[in-house]
Amino acid sequence: RLSIATIAAALLCCCLGSVRAFVAPTSPFTAAISRSAQTSSHHHATSTSLEATRRNFIDQSIATITATSTIIFQAQPAAAKEAPIEITPQIVQEAFDAIRNELTSSSGVVATLSNLIDNGSFEEILQYTKESDAYFRRAKLGKARKMLTDKDLKGEAVLMSNAVTFDLIGINRASRPGKENREDQLRYLEELKKDIAKFLELEKTIVFE
């Protein structure tokens, strides 16, 4: 059974394949200038007619894709809810240990950033802070947050996770060309340590059935 994404992609490819017959192989900027010139000129009736034909074709193609996609989506059954995460003392400990490791390990986020700051590796810091937000904040903190059994604390955990992002952004900004500032880097690094430690305190609030 074909998926929605497969059907939609096939429709889009068919339409785009036909559109290419009307579009000249020029850059978007050049094409924009060309269209502007055609509009303002009264001596290129043929080009203007071709442009109108192309616009009509594109409009019809988009309308066809929209109508077909609507029918497909309406025919699909409602998606099943995400299965609840299994919560056991071992699973919880592993999730929070992974976070603790980023705070205390010599290969964790904190130690790595500290070394990069000491070495003045600004370009590496810019890249590493972006990667850290994905694999640490979204993946590890996000996983542990879903295990919390107190609904109110889940909301607070979101704010704690956001604080980690702000810390990483602060370090990133203090490492950008022309704005390098070691003092700010270290200040945000200390904030990062505090925010991670604060998040780790949530582990003891989890209640097992």
Side-chain angles (χ1 to χ4, degrees):
R1 185 177 180 180
L2 296 178
S3 65
I4 297 175
T6 301
I7 298 174
L11 288 171
L12 184 59
C13 288
C14 291
C15 293
L16 288 178
S18 301
V19 170
R20 289 195 184 94
F22 292 92
V23 182
T26 56
S27 66
F29 182 71
T30 303
I33 295 177
S34 175
R35 288 196 296 271
S36 177
Q38 290 170 2
T39 303
S40 61
S41 173
H42 301 285
H43 306 288
H44 298 83
T46 301
S47 297
T48 302
S49 177
L50 181 60
E51 179 69 18
T53 301
R54 181 176 62 186
R55 286 198 302 269
N56 290 336
F57 181 81
I58 293 175
D59 290 341
Q60 292 174 3
S61 299
I62 293 175
T64 300
I65 293 174
T66 302
T68 305
S69 299
T70 300
I71 294 174
I72 293 173
F73 276 106
Q74 290 177 344
Q76 297 298 315
K81 293 184 178 181
E82 183 179 352
I85 297 177
E86 182 183 4
I87 301 177
T88 66
Q90 181 179 353
I91 291 177
V92 170
Q93 182 178 348
E94 290 175 353
F96 278 87
D97 279 349
I99 298 172
R100 194 172 292 107
N101 185 67
E102 298 294 343
L103 175 63
T104 61
S105 172
S106 59
S107 60
V109 169
V110 172
T112 300
L113 283 173
S114 180
N115 291 332
L116 291 175
I117 292 173
D118 289 340
N119 295 331
S121 306
F122 296 109
E123 291 185 5
E124 293 182 47
I125 293 173
L126 292 175
Q127 184 62 32
Y128 187 73
T129 48
K130 294 178 182 179
E131 295 173 353
S132 299
D133 186 62
Y135 91 84
F136 175 51
R137 195 270 300 178
R138 295 181 188 177
K140 295 188 177 183
L141 295 185
K143 180 180 180 180
R145 188 178 67 245
K146 293 178 181 179
M147 297 180 183
L148 298 178
T149 53
D150 188 311
K151 292 183 178 180
D152 292 334
L153 286 180
K154 279 189 176 181
E156 292 184 23
V158 172
L159 298 179
M160 295 180 190
S161 297
N162 290 340
V164 169
T165 295
F166 295 147
D167 298 334
L168 293 171
I169 290 175
I171 296 173
N172 183 284
R173 287 180 176 175
S175 306
R176 296 175 185 177
K179 297 183 179 180
E180 296 91 341
N181 189 314
R182 176 182 168 80
E183 183 178 344
D184 283 347
Q185 288 177 328
L186 294 175
R187 178 165 61 86
Y188 282 111
L189 182 61
E190 287 301 315
E191 291 298 322
L192 178 62
K193 294 178 184 178
K194 294 177 182 177
D195 289 329
I196 295 175
K198 185 177 181 180
F199 190 96
L200 287 171
E201 294 177 1
L202 294 173
E203 180 180 7
K204 61 187 178 183
T205 69
I206 297 176
V207 178
F208 301 100
E209 296 182 355

